[in-house]
């Protein structure tokens, strides 16, 4: 049981380059999330998808776009990378549907470590 | 907006002792409060969830309390082991929006 799988694990980009971070879950979860984690800042929500076909902005959406490709997959795209986007990116999923987390713990992947030079 | 405070300083304890981690929040009490463990280089892993009408929740050596008057949750690990060394995150679920995470507290258990 793989859970939440993120690719790639590591990536180095030059300023202005673009890339897509991939995330897939095999738990048949309804909701999926993208977080970034920076030292001293904790986990901050970038975008989330409360159900297949919907996406919503989180706390720090600027500079990012997302696609909920199907129920399993949720990708995060950086169109023009900036050094401020150097971070560890985590994808997560939960059983709950809609914006209500309720009794739905998050299941996280092991992250993508992105450096933008 | 909701603010969550976890002690930014690492907690150092000896093996066998009880570790107690604190999560304080401002403003409104959440409907649910969750605790996660994060090891270096890994994603957070869910540990326990406690509802606002529950005072205490236990799971093996773990215990979580929730005091809505004090706006505080305490996370206890009894008979701590070096393998318990990790960063522990609390997260608030207001019931109408996504989770808000604290910055976490690092726990170091020495043999």
């Amino acid at each position: 049981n793989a859970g939440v799988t993120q690719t790639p694990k590591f990536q180095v980009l030059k300023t202005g380059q673009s890339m897509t971070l991939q995330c897939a879950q095999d738990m048949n979860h309804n909701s999926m999330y993208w977080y970034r984690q920076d030292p001293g800042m904790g986990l901050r929500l970038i975008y989330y998808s409360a159900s297949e076909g919907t996406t919503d902005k989180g706390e720090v959406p600027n500079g990012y776009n997302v696609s909920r490709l199907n129920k399993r997959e949720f990708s995060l795209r950086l169109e023009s990378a900036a050094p401020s986007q150097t971070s560890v990116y985590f994808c997560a999923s939960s059983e709950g549907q809609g914006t209500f987390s309720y009794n739905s713990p998050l299941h996280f992947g092991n992250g993508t470590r992105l450096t933008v030079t | 907006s909701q603010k969550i405070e976890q002690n930014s300083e690492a907690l150092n304890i000896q093996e066998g002792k009880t570790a107690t981690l604190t999560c304080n929040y401002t403003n409104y009490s959440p409907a649910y409060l969750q605790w996660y463990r994060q090891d270096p280089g890994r994603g957070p892993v869910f540990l326990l969830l406690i509802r606002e009408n529950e005072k205490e929740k236990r799971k093996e050596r773990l215990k979580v309390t929730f005091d809505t008057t004090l706006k505080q949750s305490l996370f206890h690990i009894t008979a701590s082991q070096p393998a318990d060394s990790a960063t522990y995150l609390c997260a608030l679920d207001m019931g109408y929006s996504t989770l808000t995470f604290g910055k976490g507290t690092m726990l170091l258990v020495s043999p």
Side-chain angles (χ1 to χ4, degrees), chain A residues 4-59:
Chain A
V4 177
T5 303
Q6 292 184 236
T7 55
K9 288 185 169 54
F10 301 92
Q11 184 71 49
V12 179
L13 291 177
K14 294 189 187 314
T15 298
Q17 288 185 316
S18 62
M19 80 160 295
T20 300
L21 280 64
Q22 307 287 354
C23 175
Q25 52 93 7
D26 62 2
M27 296 170 283
N28 200 36
H29 284 170
N30 292 303
S31 300
M32 296 186 73
Y33 311 80
W34 277 105
Y35 286 88
R36 62 178 287 174
Q37 188 174 40
D38 303 290
M41 298 296 292
L43 281 162
R44 292 183 292 169
L45 184 63
I46 305 171
Y47 270 94
Y48 66 99
S49 172
S51 60
E52 189 178 354
T54 68
T55 61
D56 285 286
K57 294 178 181 179
E59 182 185 354

Side-chain angles (χ1 to χ4, degrees), chain A residues 33 35 37 40-43 45 48 90 99-111 113, chain B residues 32 34 36 38 40-46 49 51 89 93 95-103:
Chain A
Y33 311 80
Y35 286 88
Q37 188 174 40
M41 298 296 292
L43 281 162
L45 184 63
Y48 66 99
F90 288 102
T99 57
F100 300 94
S101 301
Y102 286 136
N103 200 17
S104 296
L106 298 186
H107 297 255
F108 285 86
N110 282 323
R113 282 140 191 86
Chain B
Y32 301 87
Q34 301 182 17
Y36 290 77
Q38 186 173 22
R42 311 281 288 186
V45 174
F46 170 75
L49 177 152
R51 296 173 177 77
L89 310 173
D93 180 353
Y96 55 80
S97 65
T98 54
L99 283 178
T100 301
F101 282 85
K103 295 176 184 178

Side-chain angles (χ1 to χ4, degrees), chain A residues 14 18 21 24 31-32 41-43 45 50 64-65 67-68 72 82 84-85 91 94 97-98 106 112 114 116-117:
Chain A
K14 294 189 187 314
S18 62
L21 280 64
S31 300
M32 296 186 73
M41 298 296 292
L43 281 162
L45 184 63
Y64 306 95
N65 284 302
S67 295
R68 183 76 181 265
R72 287 187 65 248
S84 61
Q85 294 179 306
C91 177
S94 70
Q97 187 159 0
L106 298 186
T112 294
L114 176 66
V116 183
T117 61

